[in-house]
Amino acid sequence: MDKPKPPERMADFFDARSDGYDEHMRSSVSDFDTFYQSIARIVSPTDQPVKILDIGCGTGLELDAIFKRAPQARITAIDLSRGMLRELRTRFSERLDQITLVTGSYLHIPLGEAVYEYAVSVMTLHHLLPRTKHRLYRRVKEALKPGGTFIHADWVVSVSEECRYRLHYREMTRATQSCEDGCYHIDMPLAAASEKELLLEAGFSSVEEAWRSEGTVVFAARP
Ligand SMILES: C[S@@+](CC[C@H](N)C(=O)[O-])C[C@H]1O[C@@H](n2cnc3c(N)ncnc32)[C@H](O)[C@@H]1O
């Protein structure tokens, strides 16, 4: 059997694919439009400048739908990939006064305390081990204002596939040295039930499954 290819660094992976990323997502996410609309539907319609944290914002696909619900929203958008952020800047060239772009890892950048009405993560956390996600979820919870909501949307798999991905993850990381979890593009999707459990373990008091389709789920988690 062929040896598995070494994983690519996360920022390099997305920099190399930022051009054409949106078309790729449109053709590979089943129910693409409904998926992004179901994320935005969790945001209550408002003309207020609500604060929203978007971790792993990429080119800003989720923000298109969110701005329709909250046109005055103030977004803090974090991403490792300069290429993806360049696309986001072009997409929202007329709203740049509403968006603070932060280049770097959401695993390290301080997220603040009680700052945001909403935090959003879309299709970005399925590269992390559960223990790393747990720490991040606690920080996201802290960053929310009382009454805030964490909208977490991601790729999910069956329980047996989750076990298979865990083994694969171990194999891939054995080949790489001195790099913490999350800096390589290695898939580690969880089952929806495992995701929900992790959110509850991290301290969210309610986790509602707002939408699910083949392979994707949208959670609304409240502190
Ligand atoms: C599949 S894209 C999703 C982008 C966007 N949320 C969407 O739904 O189209 C994943 C994004 O997460 C970013 N990312 C992955 N790990 C990250 C980290 N530790 N810190 C910041 N961004 C990260 C990648 O650079 C990439 O832009």
Side-chain angles (χ1 to χ4, degrees), residues 10-11 14 21-22 25 35-36 54-62 78-81 84 104-107 121-124 126-128 182-183:
M10 190 73 78
F14 283 102
Y21 169 81
D22 292 3
M25 289 297 274
F35 174 64
Y36 283 97
D54 187 351
I55 58 173
C57 56
T59 62
L61 284 176
E62 54 270 25
I78 303 178
D79 206 286
L80 276 177
S81 160
M84 297 291 268
S105 172
Y106 45 64
L107 297 175
S121 72
V122 186
M123 290 296 199
T124 184
H126 58 264
H127 306 294
L128 300 176
C183 70

Side-chain angles (χ1 to χ4, degrees), residues 120-211:
V120 184
S121 72
V122 186
M123 290 296 199
T124 184
L125 301 184
H126 58 264
H127 306 294
L128 300 176
L129 287 174
R131 61 165 184 263
T132 310
K133 270 190 193 176
H134 181 272
R135 283 195 296 271
L136 177 62
Y137 289 165
R138 292 185 78 91
R139 293 173 55 232
V140 168
K141 182 175 153 279
E142 266 180 33
L144 288 172
K145 287 184 182 169
T149 304
F150 176 33
I151 306 169
H152 171 45
D154 211 346
W155 170 29
V156 285
V157 293
S158 67
V159 174
S160 61
E161 283 175 306
E162 177 184 319
C163 294
R164 203 167 50 74
Y165 275 106
R166 275 179 202 255
L167 289 174
H168 177 248
Y169 194 101
R170 253 182 248 143
E171 229 172 79
M172 297 296 278
T173 47
R174 210 173 290 138
T176 59
Q177 284 156 13
S178 69
C179 192
E180 65 177 307
D181 179 30
C183 70
Y184 283 110
H185 185 271
I186 310 173
D187 289 331
M188 183 50 248
L190 298 182
S194 311
E195 273 296 345
K196 183 170 179 176
E197 204 174 300
L198 259 182
L199 287 159
L200 290 168
E201 275 172 20
F204 287 96
S205 65
S206 86
V207 179
E208 176 206 338
E209 195 175 300
W211 189 77

Side-chain angles (χ1 to χ4, degrees), residues 11 14-16 18-19 58-59 80-88:
F14 283 102
D15 279 345
S18 57
D19 188 20
T59 62
L80 276 177
S81 160
R82 289 177 194 281
M84 297 291 268
L85 289 178
R86 197 168 44 239
E87 297 291 321
L88 186 150

